Each structure stands twice: as C-alpha cells, then as structure tokens.
Amino acid sequence: MSPESEVDLPGEALLPGALPEALRAELVAFRRDLHMHPELGNQEFRTTAAIKERLEKAGLAPRVLPAGTGLICDIGVEGGESPGGDGGPGILALRADIDALPIPDMKSDCPYRSTVPDRAHACGHDVHTTVVLGAGLVLAGLHRQGLLRRPVRMIFQPAEEVLPGGAAEAIEAGALEGVRRILAVHCDPRVDAGRIGLREGPITSACDRLEIALDGPGGHTARPHLTTDLVTAAARVVADVPALVARRIDSRSGLAVTWGRIESGHAPNVIPQHAELAGTVRCLDLDAWRQAPDVVVAAIDEVANLYRAKSEITYVRGVPPVVNHPDATELLREAMTARRGVESIEGTEQSLGGEDFSWYLERVPGAMARLGVRPPGERTVRDLHQGDFDVDEHAITVGVELFTAAALLDALG
C-alpha cells in the first residue's frame, strides 16, 4: 500500500485499507449506475449481474443465491476450507441490501436520477451495496499482500423492503455458515457525511402486520339486539385492543397497535355482516416482540367475543428489532476512531423503522452503524423513502474505510 492509503492507528502500526482515489471514483460511478437502474425486491437481476461482474474482475468467486438475485462472496477462504469450524477463526460478514422502492424519483436536474418509472433507490441501498463492494475490493487486495489475517464474507441480500425481508433466503443459502460476526451500515440523512451514529442494544424496532375479519348476522338498525352489530364490534376492537395490549406488556417495551384501515357496511340503516381492519404492531423490545402475537391475538378475540363477533386474524410476522451486540458495536467504534477520530462518532436513537438485518443477529452477534449521508452544513433533511432522497457521496469513502478497518481490527481480537 502507498503511504497515502494508510492512516495512523494510535499505539499500533499503520493501518492499511484506506480507499485509493481511482477506486473511489469508480465506486461513485458504480453507485450512480445502480441509482439510475433501481430494481424491486427479488427482481434485482441487473444489480446482481453488475456486482458479480466486478467481483469476478477482481479475481473473486461470487455465488449467486438460488432464486437468481443477490450473492455471497468470500475473501480469504480457500477451496475446501471451513472457517469457523473445529476452532477456526471464523468469518467476519459484511452485509448490504440491494433492492429499491416502488416510488418515483422526484429529483430534478440530477444526471443520475432513476430511469425506471415509479422506481427509486430512496433508502440508500445503492450506497450500502457500493460500500460493501468497495470494502471487498480493498480487502481482496490486502489479502493478496498477506495483510488480511481472517476471512471476510460479502453478503449482497435481495428484498430487504419485502416483508419479512430477503435475509431468510440468504441465511438458508448459507450466508452465515462459518460466520462469527456480522456488520452493516444504513444511510442516515440526519447525520453529516464523514460521521457515523452508533448505539449499543436495539437500534431499530420490530414491525408486524395485522389483518382482521369480523363476521356475524347483520340486520336492520332498528333491531340491533337481533344482530352482532359488527360496526360497534369493529369500533371496540379499534379502541380497546391497543389499550388492553398496553396493560399486558411492559410499557417500557414501546409495543403499539396502530390501525391503518377499517371497512364495514354500505347503507346507513343496515347493520353489516362483515367488517375488516388492518394495522401494524411495532415494538422497541425484542422479548416483548416475541410475546406480541399471543397477547395481541388474545386481546382481539376477547373484545370480539364480548360483542358476539366471529374473528379471523392474520398476524404476519415482519422483523424483530436490530439489537447491536456490545462487542460488535465497539469494533465499529474502534474502526471509525482509527480512520477519522473519535469526534466522527455520535450517539443515535432507536428508530421505529424495521430492518431485516435483525434476522442475522438472531443467529450471530453483530451491529449496524448509521452512515451519515447529509452534506455538512445542509439544513434540509432529504428523508428516507421520499422521492427526492439523495446522499453526499463522500459517505461511500467513509463506509468503505470503516469496514476495511473493522476487518483488520477484528483479526487482532
């Protein structure tokens, strides 16, 4: 490595793995190409092909997932080797999500805006993908020089935005075999580029989907005593279930049932025979999330039975909270400190959004960092999942160097 691709690590030798300028420019162009060609979950064929081609050009051997989108690629794992087994050192995994959102790109005068109608990388997955790709290319070079002491795996996962997320497919395909620790970043438009946000413990929330059908004999509004009165029953479910749940789960867990849809009836003087409700269950705490289905379903049945309504409940599991492991969080802290100093790190709050990176953390310890993407000094926040979302591309350099430092420091642990 040249001197300009190294940084001082206090108390240690120079830490290699900084991003060379030529590769930085290539990665910016790669990210812009992805941004112009967004693909929805489980449809990321072009994206997968682009990643695969670049990794193969670097002499690596990526493996496309069975469904044809997403891929896994190892660095420092020789043929027939089984890292992590029989007391082996184990793999450090770096995960990126590759899918886009079904919303239009509303940016104006942007040369790399989406070319696909009603599709946009409005959550920063193009940045996540580019960061992991760039880190992999740098680490592959370090491995060839004998400077990478432990193997690293890149996981490019499809369908993060598709409930309950594409992580399950990646895990089933062996993404975590031999993995001892996993890391990820997520773009944060509230944090300046050049900085990251860290939090030990839960950093996102759980999110499940709830659908309810209520049925019973209807009739004339003049004789409600001869009917189930489904409108009243549905109204009581809407009002009483959240209150009941709040008294049966520790209030510190932040578990909340919130309704987004209620439909019933067609005429003002007819009590209907059918009603439908739909909403979400969100939760800040992992243990409470595990209890949520039983508690919520029991509360719905209790209220429905009180009004003699037959209930059919569809409780769709989404994702648990992302819970950052202390050791993995500290690794990210040490890596960022080595690259850019402790002042480049800030605390971050627990988000109410969901992230299927949590499924990996159900299996192995790991952590997710908030990657700052806001241009320093800019007051306007281009929020996630909005059509005008964009990033300061300096964040790519920061993310790559964060991951390369983490991989090198992980080998020292």
Side-chain angles (χ1 to χ4, degrees), residues 26-86:
E26 179 191 349
L27 292 175
V28 168
F30 188 90
R31 177 257 167 175
R32 292 185 176 190
D33 180 71
L34 293 186
H35 200 85
M36 292 173 67
H37 302 92
E39 297 173 300
L40 299 184
N42 298 315
Q43 301 173 23
E44 311 97 330
F45 296 102
R46 183 187 185 278
T47 303
T48 298
I51 301 167
K52 181 174 181 288
E53 180 182 5
R54 185 60 183 91
L55 292 173
E56 289 177 338
K57 182 180 177 182
L60 298 170
R63 311 186 303 277
V64 176
L65 298 181
T69 65
L71 62 160
I72 300 168
C73 186
D74 290 338
I75 304 166
V77 178
E78 309 303 332
E81 188 177 346
S82 181
D86 302 323

Short mmCIF file of all heavy atoms in Angstrom, two decimals, residues 26-86:
data_model
loop_
_atom_site.label_atom_id
_atom_site.label_comp_id
_atom_site.label_asym_id
_atom_site.label_seq_id
_atom_site.Cartn_x
_atom_site.Cartn_y
_atom_site.Cartn_z
N GLU A 26 -14.35 5.15 -9.18
CA GLU A 26 -15.07 4.02 -9.79
C GLU A 26 -16.31 3.67 -8.98
O GLU A 26 -17.37 3.39 -9.55
CB GLU A 26 -14.15 2.81 -9.88
CG GLU A 26 -14.85 1.59 -10.48
CD GLU A 26 -14.06 0.30 -10.35
OE1 GLU A 26 -12.87 0.36 -9.99
OE2 GLU A 26 -14.65 -0.77 -10.60
N LEU A 27 -16.19 3.70 -7.67
CA LEU A 27 -17.32 3.35 -6.81
C LEU A 27 -18.44 4.38 -6.90
O LEU A 27 -19.62 4.03 -6.89
CB LEU A 27 -16.86 3.19 -5.37
CG LEU A 27 -15.95 1.98 -5.09
CD1 LEU A 27 -15.46 2.01 -3.65
CD2 LEU A 27 -16.66 0.67 -5.39
N VAL A 28 -18.09 5.65 -7.00
CA VAL A 28 -19.12 6.68 -7.19
C VAL A 28 -19.88 6.42 -8.49
O VAL A 28 -21.12 6.50 -8.53
CB VAL A 28 -18.50 8.09 -7.18
CG1 VAL A 28 -19.51 9.13 -7.65
CG2 VAL A 28 -18.01 8.44 -5.78
N ALA A 29 -19.15 6.10 -9.54
CA ALA A 29 -19.80 5.80 -10.82
C ALA A 29 -20.66 4.54 -10.72
O ALA A 29 -21.76 4.48 -11.29
CB ALA A 29 -18.73 5.62 -11.91
N PHE A 30 -20.20 3.55 -9.98
CA PHE A 30 -20.97 2.31 -9.80
C PHE A 30 -22.26 2.61 -9.05
O PHE A 30 -23.34 2.14 -9.44
CB PHE A 30 -20.12 1.30 -9.01
CG PHE A 30 -20.73 -0.07 -8.92
CD1 PHE A 30 -20.47 -1.03 -9.89
CD2 PHE A 30 -21.59 -0.40 -7.88
CE1 PHE A 30 -21.04 -2.30 -9.81
CE2 PHE A 30 -22.16 -1.66 -7.80
CZ PHE A 30 -21.88 -2.62 -8.77
N ARG A 31 -22.18 3.41 -7.99
CA ARG A 31 -23.38 3.76 -7.24
C ARG A 31 -24.38 4.52 -8.11
O ARG A 31 -25.59 4.26 -8.07
CB ARG A 31 -22.99 4.60 -6.02
CG ARG A 31 -24.19 5.08 -5.20
CD ARG A 31 -24.52 6.54 -5.44
NE ARG A 31 -25.84 6.86 -4.89
CZ ARG A 31 -26.37 8.07 -4.87
NH1 ARG A 31 -25.69 9.10 -5.37
NH2 ARG A 31 -27.58 8.28 -4.39
N ARG A 32 -23.88 5.43 -8.92
CA ARG A 32 -24.78 6.21 -9.78
C ARG A 32 -25.46 5.32 -10.82
O ARG A 32 -26.64 5.53 -11.16
CB ARG A 32 -24.01 7.35 -10.45
CG ARG A 32 -23.55 8.39 -9.46
CD ARG A 32 -22.89 9.59 -10.13
NE ARG A 32 -22.55 10.62 -9.15
CZ ARG A 32 -22.15 11.84 -9.45
NH1 ARG A 32 -22.02 12.20 -10.74
NH2 ARG A 32 -21.87 12.71 -8.50
N ASP A 33 -24.74 4.33 -11.32
CA ASP A 33 -25.34 3.39 -12.26
C ASP A 33 -26.48 2.61 -11.59
O ASP A 33 -27.56 2.45 -12.18
CB ASP A 33 -24.28 2.43 -12.80
CG ASP A 33 -24.87 1.44 -13.79
OD1 ASP A 33 -25.21 1.84 -14.91
OD2 ASP A 33 -25.00 0.25 -13.41
N LEU A 34 -26.24 2.15 -10.37
CA LEU A 34 -27.31 1.45 -9.65
C LEU A 34 -28.49 2.39 -9.41
O LEU A 34 -29.66 1.98 -9.53
CB LEU A 34 -26.79 0.94 -8.31
CG LEU A 34 -25.74 -0.16 -8.29
CD1 LEU A 34 -25.48 -0.62 -6.86
CD2 LEU A 34 -26.15 -1.35 -9.16
N HIS A 35 -28.19 3.64 -9.08
CA HIS A 35 -29.25 4.61 -8.80
C HIS A 35 -30.12 4.85 -10.03
O HIS A 35 -31.32 5.08 -9.91
CB HIS A 35 -28.62 5.92 -8.32
CG HIS A 35 -29.57 6.79 -7.57
ND1 HIS A 35 -29.79 6.65 -6.21
CD2 HIS A 35 -30.37 7.81 -7.97
CE1 HIS A 35 -30.68 7.55 -5.82
NE2 HIS A 35 -31.04 8.27 -6.87
N MET A 36 -29.51 4.81 -11.19
CA MET A 36 -30.25 5.02 -12.43
C MET A 36 -31.07 3.81 -12.85
O MET A 36 -31.99 3.93 -13.66
CB MET A 36 -29.27 5.38 -13.56
CG MET A 36 -28.59 6.73 -13.40
SD MET A 36 -27.31 6.99 -14.65
CE MET A 36 -28.33 7.09 -16.14
N HIS A 37 -30.76 2.64 -12.29
CA HIS A 37 -31.43 1.40 -12.70
C HIS A 37 -31.93 0.63 -11.48
O HIS A 37 -31.51 -0.51 -11.22
CB HIS A 37 -30.47 0.53 -13.53
CG HIS A 37 -29.96 1.21 -14.75
ND1 HIS A 37 -28.77 1.93 -14.77
CD2 HIS A 37 -30.48 1.32 -16.00
CE1 HIS A 37 -28.58 2.43 -15.98
NE2 HIS A 37 -29.60 2.09 -16.74
N PRO A 38 -32.83 1.22 -10.70
CA PRO A 38 -33.32 0.56 -9.48
C PRO A 38 -34.20 -0.64 -9.81
O PRO A 38 -34.95 -0.63 -10.79
CB PRO A 38 -34.12 1.66 -8.79
CG PRO A 38 -34.60 2.54 -9.93
CD PRO A 38 -33.49 2.51 -10.93
N GLU A 39 -34.11 -1.66 -8.98
CA GLU A 39 -34.91 -2.87 -9.15
C GLU A 39 -35.55 -3.25 -7.82
O GLU A 39 -34.91 -3.17 -6.77
CB GLU A 39 -34.04 -4.02 -9.65
CG GLU A 39 -33.44 -3.76 -11.03
CD GLU A 39 -32.45 -4.83 -11.44
OE1 GLU A 39 -31.44 -5.02 -10.72
OE2 GLU A 39 -32.67 -5.48 -12.48
N LEU A 40 -36.81 -3.69 -7.88
CA LEU A 40 -37.53 -4.06 -6.66
C LEU A 40 -37.05 -5.40 -6.13
O LEU A 40 -36.32 -6.14 -6.79
CB LEU A 40 -39.03 -4.10 -6.95
CG LEU A 40 -39.69 -2.80 -7.41
CD1 LEU A 40 -41.19 -3.00 -7.54
CD2 LEU A 40 -39.37 -1.65 -6.46
N GLY A 41 -37.50 -5.70 -4.91
CA GLY A 41 -37.10 -6.93 -4.24
C GLY A 41 -37.40 -8.17 -5.05
O GLY A 41 -38.49 -8.32 -5.62
N ASN A 42 -36.43 -9.07 -5.11
CA ASN A 42 -36.49 -10.33 -5.85
C ASN A 42 -36.51 -10.14 -7.36
O ASN A 42 -36.73 -11.11 -8.10
CB ASN A 42 -37.69 -11.18 -5.41
CG ASN A 42 -37.62 -11.57 -3.95
OD1 ASN A 42 -36.57 -12.00 -3.47
ND2 ASN A 42 -38.72 -11.41 -3.24
N GLN A 43 -36.27 -8.90 -7.81
CA GLN A 43 -36.16 -8.62 -9.25
C GLN A 43 -34.80 -8.00 -9.59
O GLN A 43 -34.61 -7.49 -10.69
CB GLN A 43 -37.28 -7.65 -9.67
CG GLN A 43 -38.68 -8.16 -9.41
CD GLN A 43 -39.75 -7.12 -9.70
OE1 GLN A 43 -39.54 -6.17 -10.45
NE2 GLN A 43 -40.91 -7.27 -9.08
N GLU A 44 -33.84 -8.12 -8.70
CA GLU A 44 -32.58 -7.38 -8.84
C GLU A 44 -31.57 -8.13 -9.72
O GLU A 44 -30.42 -8.35 -9.32
CB GLU A 44 -31.95 -7.13 -7.46
CG GLU A 44 -32.90 -6.57 -6.41
CD GLU A 44 -33.46 -7.66 -5.51
OE1 GLU A 44 -33.61 -8.81 -5.99
OE2 GLU A 44 -33.75 -7.39 -4.34
N PHE A 45 -31.99 -8.52 -10.92
CA PHE A 45 -31.13 -9.31 -11.79
C PHE A 45 -29.98 -8.48 -12.37
O PHE A 45 -28.83 -8.92 -12.40
CB PHE A 45 -31.96 -9.94 -12.92
CG PHE A 45 -32.98 -10.91 -12.41
CD1 PHE A 45 -34.32 -10.57 -12.32
CD2 PHE A 45 -32.60 -12.20 -12.02
CE1 PHE A 45 -35.26 -11.46 -11.85
CE2 PHE A 45 -33.54 -13.10 -11.54
CZ PHE A 45 -34.88 -12.73 -11.45
N ARG A 46 -30.28 -7.27 -12.83
CA ARG A 46 -29.22 -6.41 -13.37
C ARG A 46 -28.23 -6.03 -12.29
O ARG A 46 -27.02 -6.04 -12.51
CB ARG A 46 -29.84 -5.16 -13.99
CG ARG A 46 -28.81 -4.24 -14.66
CD ARG A 46 -29.43 -2.94 -15.12
NE ARG A 46 -28.48 -2.11 -15.85
CZ ARG A 46 -27.57 -1.32 -15.30
NH1 ARG A 46 -27.50 -1.25 -13.96
NH2 ARG A 46 -26.74 -0.61 -16.04
N THR A 47 -28.76 -5.67 -11.11
CA THR A 47 -27.91 -5.29 -10.00
C THR A 47 -26.98 -6.44 -9.61
O THR A 47 -25.77 -6.26 -9.42
CB THR A 47 -28.77 -4.88 -8.79
OG1 THR A 47 -29.63 -3.81 -9.17
CG2 THR A 47 -27.91 -4.46 -7.62
N THR A 48 -27.56 -7.64 -9.51
CA THR A 48 -26.76 -8.82 -9.16
C THR A 48 -25.66 -9.06 -10.20
O THR A 48 -24.50 -9.34 -9.85
CB THR A 48 -27.67 -10.05 -9.05
OG1 THR A 48 -28.63 -9.84 -7.99
CG2 THR A 48 -26.86 -11.31 -8.76
N ALA A 49 -26.00 -8.93 -11.47
CA ALA A 49 -25.03 -9.16 -12.54
C ALA A 49 -23.88 -8.14 -12.48
O ALA A 49 -22.72 -8.49 -12.70
CB ALA A 49 -25.71 -9.11 -13.90
N ALA A 50 -24.22 -6.89 -12.17
CA ALA A 50 -23.18 -5.85 -12.09
C ALA A 50 -22.21 -6.11 -10.95
O ALA A 50 -20.99 -5.96 -11.11
CB ALA A 50 -23.84 -4.48 -11.93
N ILE A 51 -22.73 -6.51 -9.81
CA ILE A 51 -21.87 -6.82 -8.66
C ILE A 51 -21.00 -8.03 -8.98
O ILE A 51 -19.78 -8.03 -8.74
CB ILE A 51 -22.72 -7.10 -7.41
CG1 ILE A 51 -23.57 -5.89 -7.05
CG2 ILE A 51 -21.82 -7.49 -6.23
CD1 ILE A 51 -24.66 -6.18 -6.03
N LYS A 52 -21.62 -9.05 -9.54
CA LYS A 52 -20.90 -10.29 -9.85
C LYS A 52 -19.76 -10.03 -10.84
O LYS A 52 -18.63 -10.51 -10.66
CB LYS A 52 -21.88 -11.31 -10.44
CG LYS A 52 -21.27 -12.67 -10.79
CD LYS A 52 -22.38 -13.63 -11.21
CE LYS A 52 -21.81 -15.01 -11.54
NZ LYS A 52 -21.08 -15.02 -12.81
N GLU A 53 -20.03 -9.24 -11.86
CA GLU A 53 -19.01 -8.94 -12.86
C GLU A 53 -17.81 -8.23 -12.24
O GLU A 53 -16.65 -8.57 -12.54
CB GLU A 53 -19.62 -8.09 -13.97
CG GLU A 53 -18.63 -7.71 -15.07
CD GLU A 53 -19.24 -6.82 -16.13
OE1 GLU A 53 -20.42 -6.41 -15.97
OE2 GLU A 53 -18.55 -6.51 -17.13
N ARG A 54 -18.07 -7.27 -11.34
CA ARG A 54 -16.94 -6.53 -10.75
C ARG A 54 -16.13 -7.40 -9.80
O ARG A 54 -14.89 -7.30 -9.74
CB ARG A 54 -17.47 -5.30 -10.01
CG ARG A 54 -16.35 -4.41 -9.47
CD ARG A 54 -15.47 -3.92 -10.61
NE ARG A 54 -14.32 -3.13 -10.16
CZ ARG A 54 -13.11 -3.63 -9.87
NH1 ARG A 54 -12.91 -4.95 -9.96
NH2 ARG A 54 -12.13 -2.83 -9.50
N LEU A 55 -16.80 -8.26 -9.06
CA LEU A 55 -16.08 -9.15 -8.15
C LEU A 55 -15.24 -10.17 -8.91
O LEU A 55 -14.10 -10.47 -8.53
CB LEU A 55 -17.07 -9.86 -7.23
CG LEU A 55 -17.80 -8.98 -6.21
CD1 LEU A 55 -18.87 -9.78 -5.49
CD2 LEU A 55 -16.83 -8.37 -5.21
N GLU A 56 -15.79 -10.69 -9.98
CA GLU A 56 -15.02 -11.64 -10.80
C GLU A 56 -13.83 -10.96 -11.45
O GLU A 56 -12.75 -11.58 -11.58
CB GLU A 56 -15.93 -12.27 -11.85
CG GLU A 56 -16.95 -13.24 -11.26
CD GLU A 56 -17.91 -13.81 -12.28
OE1 GLU A 56 -18.08 -13.17 -13.35
OE2 GLU A 56 -18.49 -14.87 -12.02
N LYS A 57 -13.99 -9.71 -11.84
CA LYS A 57 -12.87 -8.96 -12.41
C LYS A 57 -11.73 -8.84 -11.41
O LYS A 57 -10.55 -8.78 -11.79
CB LYS A 57 -13.36 -7.58 -12.85
CG LYS A 57 -12.30 -6.71 -13.51
CD LYS A 57 -12.88 -5.36 -13.91
CE LYS A 57 -11.80 -4.46 -14.51
NZ LYS A 57 -12.36 -3.13 -14.87
N ALA A 58 -12.07 -8.83 -10.11
CA ALA A 58 -11.07 -8.74 -9.05
C ALA A 58 -10.50 -10.11 -8.68
O ALA A 58 -9.72 -10.20 -7.73
CB ALA A 58 -11.67 -8.07 -7.83
N GLY A 59 -10.89 -11.15 -9.41
CA GLY A 59 -10.37 -12.48 -9.14
C GLY A 59 -11.10 -13.24 -8.06
O GLY A 59 -10.62 -14.27 -7.59
N LEU A 60 -12.27 -12.75 -7.66
CA LEU A 60 -13.06 -13.41 -6.63
C LEU A 60 -14.10 -14.33 -7.26
O LEU A 60 -14.32 -14.31 -8.47
CB LEU A 60 -13.73 -12.36 -5.75
CG LEU A 60 -12.75 -11.44 -4.99
CD1 LEU A 60 -13.49 -10.28 -4.33
CD2 LEU A 60 -11.97 -12.23 -3.95
N ALA A 61 -14.75 -15.14 -6.42
CA ALA A 61 -15.68 -16.16 -6.91
C ALA A 61 -17.04 -16.00 -6.23
O ALA A 61 -17.38 -16.76 -5.32
CB ALA A 61 -15.11 -17.56 -6.66
N PRO A 62 -17.84 -15.01 -6.63
CA PRO A 62 -19.16 -14.83 -6.03
C PRO A 62 -20.11 -15.96 -6.36
O PRO A 62 -20.02 -16.58 -7.43
CB PRO A 62 -19.64 -13.51 -6.64
CG PRO A 62 -18.90 -13.39 -7.93
CD PRO A 62 -17.56 -14.02 -7.69
N ARG A 63 -21.05 -16.21 -5.45
CA ARG A 63 -22.06 -17.26 -5.62
C ARG A 63 -23.44 -16.61 -5.59
O ARG A 63 -23.85 -16.06 -4.57
CB ARG A 63 -21.95 -18.31 -4.52
CG ARG A 63 -20.53 -18.82 -4.31
CD ARG A 63 -20.47 -19.96 -3.30
NE ARG A 63 -21.00 -19.64 -1.99
CZ ARG A 63 -20.33 -19.01 -1.04
NH1 ARG A 63 -19.10 -18.56 -1.26
NH2 ARG A 63 -20.88 -18.79 0.15
N VAL A 64 -24.15 -16.66 -6.71
CA VAL A 64 -25.49 -16.08 -6.78
C VAL A 64 -26.45 -16.94 -5.96
O VAL A 64 -26.36 -18.18 -5.98
CB VAL A 64 -25.95 -15.97 -8.24
CG1 VAL A 64 -27.40 -15.45 -8.31
CG2 VAL A 64 -25.02 -15.04 -9.02
N LEU A 65 -27.37 -16.32 -5.25
CA LEU A 65 -28.33 -17.05 -4.44
C LEU A 65 -29.28 -17.85 -5.33
O LEU A 65 -29.46 -17.53 -6.51
CB LEU A 65 -29.13 -16.08 -3.56
CG LEU A 65 -28.30 -15.28 -2.54
CD1 LEU A 65 -29.22 -14.38 -1.71
CD2 LEU A 65 -27.50 -16.20 -1.64
N PRO A 66 -29.87 -18.91 -4.79
CA PRO A 66 -30.66 -19.84 -5.61
C PRO A 66 -31.76 -19.20 -6.45
O PRO A 66 -32.03 -19.67 -7.57
CB PRO A 66 -31.24 -20.81 -4.57
CG PRO A 66 -30.25 -20.81 -3.46
CD PRO A 66 -29.73 -19.40 -3.41
N ALA A 67 -32.41 -18.15 -5.95
CA ALA A 67 -33.51 -17.53 -6.69
C ALA A 67 -33.02 -16.64 -7.84
O ALA A 67 -33.83 -16.15 -8.62
CB ALA A 67 -34.39 -16.71 -5.76
N GLY A 68 -31.71 -16.43 -7.94
CA GLY A 68 -31.17 -15.67 -9.06
C GLY A 68 -30.86 -14.23 -8.78
O GLY A 68 -30.31 -13.53 -9.65
N THR A 69 -31.20 -13.73 -7.60
CA THR A 69 -30.84 -12.36 -7.22
C THR A 69 -30.14 -12.39 -5.87
O THR A 69 -30.46 -13.20 -5.00
CB THR A 69 -32.06 -11.43 -7.13
OG1 THR A 69 -32.92 -11.87 -6.07
CG2 THR A 69 -32.83 -11.43 -8.43
N GLY A 70 -29.18 -11.49 -5.71
CA GLY A 70 -28.36 -11.49 -4.51
C GLY A 70 -27.21 -12.47 -4.65
O GLY A 70 -27.28 -13.42 -5.44
N LEU A 71 -26.14 -12.22 -3.89
CA LEU A 71 -24.99 -13.10 -3.98
C LEU A 71 -24.14 -13.02 -2.73
O LEU A 71 -24.25 -12.10 -1.92
CB LEU A 71 -24.15 -12.81 -5.22
CG LEU A 71 -23.50 -11.44 -5.38
CD1 LEU A 71 -22.36 -11.52 -6.38
CD2 LEU A 71 -24.50 -10.40 -5.88
N ILE A 72 -23.27 -14.02 -2.59
CA ILE A 72 -22.34 -14.14 -1.47
C ILE A 72 -20.95 -14.29 -2.06
O ILE A 72 -20.77 -14.98 -3.06
CB ILE A 72 -22.68 -15.37 -0.60
CG1 ILE A 72 -24.09 -15.26 -0.02
CG2 ILE A 72 -21.66 -15.54 0.52
CD1 ILE A 72 -24.59 -16.55 0.59
N CYS A 73 -19.97 -13.66 -1.43
CA CYS A 73 -18.60 -13.75 -1.94
C CYS A 73 -17.61 -13.71 -0.78
O CYS A 73 -17.70 -12.82 0.07
CB CYS A 73 -18.31 -12.62 -2.91
SG CYS A 73 -16.71 -12.74 -3.73
N ASP A 74 -16.71 -14.68 -0.74
CA ASP A 74 -15.72 -14.79 0.34
C ASP A 74 -14.35 -14.27 -0.10
O ASP A 74 -13.96 -14.41 -1.26
CB ASP A 74 -15.58 -16.25 0.78
CG ASP A 74 -16.80 -16.75 1.53
OD1 ASP A 74 -17.57 -15.92 2.05
OD2 ASP A 74 -17.00 -17.98 1.57
N ILE A 75 -13.65 -13.72 0.87
CA ILE A 75 -12.26 -13.30 0.69
C ILE A 75 -11.43 -14.04 1.74
O ILE A 75 -11.77 -14.01 2.94
CB ILE A 75 -12.09 -11.78 0.89
CG1 ILE A 75 -13.01 -11.01 -0.05
CG2 ILE A 75 -10.65 -11.36 0.70
CD1 ILE A 75 -13.16 -9.55 0.30
N GLY A 76 -10.38 -14.72 1.29
CA GLY A 76 -9.51 -15.41 2.24
C GLY A 76 -9.99 -16.77 2.65
O GLY A 76 -9.51 -17.34 3.64
N VAL A 77 -10.97 -17.33 1.93
CA VAL A 77 -11.43 -18.69 2.18
C VAL A 77 -10.99 -19.54 1.01
O VAL A 77 -11.46 -19.36 -0.12
CB VAL A 77 -12.96 -18.75 2.33
CG1 VAL A 77 -13.42 -20.19 2.54
CG2 VAL A 77 -13.42 -17.88 3.49
N GLU A 78 -10.07 -20.45 1.27
CA GLU A 78 -9.54 -21.28 0.19
C GLU A 78 -10.46 -22.46 -0.06
O GLU A 78 -11.31 -22.80 0.77
CB GLU A 78 -8.14 -21.79 0.56
CG GLU A 78 -7.18 -20.69 1.00
CD GLU A 78 -7.02 -19.60 -0.05
OE1 GLU A 78 -7.18 -19.91 -1.25
OE2 GLU A 78 -6.73 -18.45 0.31
N GLY A 79 -10.34 -23.08 -1.21
CA GLY A 79 -11.18 -24.21 -1.58
C GLY A 79 -11.09 -25.32 -0.56
O GLY A 79 -10.01 -25.74 -0.17
N GLY A 80 -12.24 -25.80 -0.11
CA GLY A 80 -12.29 -26.88 0.84
C GLY A 80 -12.13 -26.44 2.29
O GLY A 80 -12.33 -27.23 3.21
N GLU A 81 -11.78 -25.19 2.53
CA GLU A 81 -11.60 -24.70 3.88
C GLU A 81 -12.95 -24.45 4.52
O GLU A 81 -13.92 -24.05 3.86
CB GLU A 81 -10.78 -23.40 3.84
CG GLU A 81 -10.36 -22.89 5.20
CD GLU A 81 -9.50 -21.65 5.09
OE1 GLU A 81 -9.03 -21.36 3.97
OE2 GLU A 81 -9.29 -20.99 6.11
N SER A 82 -13.04 -24.68 5.81
CA SER A 82 -14.28 -24.46 6.54
C SER A 82 -14.03 -23.54 7.72
O SER A 82 -13.88 -23.97 8.85
CB SER A 82 -14.87 -25.79 7.04
OG SER A 82 -16.09 -25.57 7.74
N PRO A 83 -13.93 -22.24 7.48
CA PRO A 83 -13.63 -21.31 8.57
C PRO A 83 -14.72 -21.30 9.61
O PRO A 83 -15.90 -21.37 9.29
CB PRO A 83 -13.52 -19.95 7.85
CG PRO A 83 -14.32 -20.11 6.62
CD PRO A 83 -14.18 -21.55 6.21
N GLY A 84 -14.32 -21.19 10.84
CA GLY A 84 -15.31 -21.13 11.92
C GLY A 84 -15.59 -22.48 12.51
O GLY A 84 -16.12 -22.60 13.61
N GLY A 85 -15.26 -23.57 11.82
CA GLY A 85 -15.46 -24.90 12.36
C GLY A 85 -14.18 -25.42 12.97
O GLY A 85 -13.08 -25.00 12.64
N ASP A 86 -14.32 -26.37 13.88
CA ASP A 86 -13.16 -27.00 14.51
C ASP A 86 -12.21 -25.98 15.12
O ASP A 86 -10.99 -26.08 15.01
CB ASP A 86 -12.40 -27.87 13.48
CG ASP A 86 -13.28 -28.95 12.87
OD1 ASP A 86 -14.11 -29.49 13.61
OD2 ASP A 86 -13.13 -29.23 11.67
#
